[in-house]
Amino acid sequence: MARHKIDRFSAKENKIANYAKSLAHPARIAILKLLIKKKSCFCGNIVNELPLSQSTVSQHLKELKKAGLIQGKISGAKTCYCINYTAWNVAKKSFNYFFTSVPTTKKCN
């Protein structure tokens, strides 16, 4: 969609779409699961945990960070990543709102 048309949608619609876009790759889901499993900032080499190159992992981390779902702190030569639970809870509420706002008992004609 053209960038100039984004403003024609509500802030809530744009927020849900941005979260959905950031989750729309299995590598990003795997990265999030890894960070959740570690339960703290993970400074280890995420590349060793996934079947992806360093540049690919970096790109996925960039997208997750852009959406606000993770945060990164530079610690020497490494960056420590962890879940941004404030944004995580906003995303959860946004998706819950979206999925529960549609009745599930109606049939398509």
Side-chain angles (χ1 to χ4, degrees), residues 29-41:
I29 300 299
I31 290 168
L32 290 169
K33 286 173 61 178
L34 179 63
L35 295 176
I36 291 165
K37 180 180 169 186
K38 298 293 180 180
K39 295 182 183 174
S40 64
C41 286

Side-chain angles (χ1 to χ4, degrees), residues 4-58:
H4 66 279
K5 292 189 179 189
I6 287 177
D7 62 348
R8 294 184 182 182
F9 299 94
S10 72
K12 192 172 273 191
E13 289 166 338
N14 278 296
K15 185 179 286 194
I16 293 169
N18 284 330
Y19 287 135
K21 180 181 175 188
S22 71
L23 297 172
H25 195 287
R28 295 182 196 149
I29 300 299
I31 290 168
L32 290 169
K33 286 173 61 178
L34 179 63
L35 295 176
I36 291 165
K37 180 180 169 186
K38 298 293 180 180
K39 295 182 183 174
S40 64
C41 286
F42 182 54
C43 293
N45 194 347
I46 294 174
V47 175
N48 292 338
E49 303 283 336
L50 301 172
L52 302 170
S53 69
Q54 176 66 52
S55 61
T56 301
V57 170
S58 293

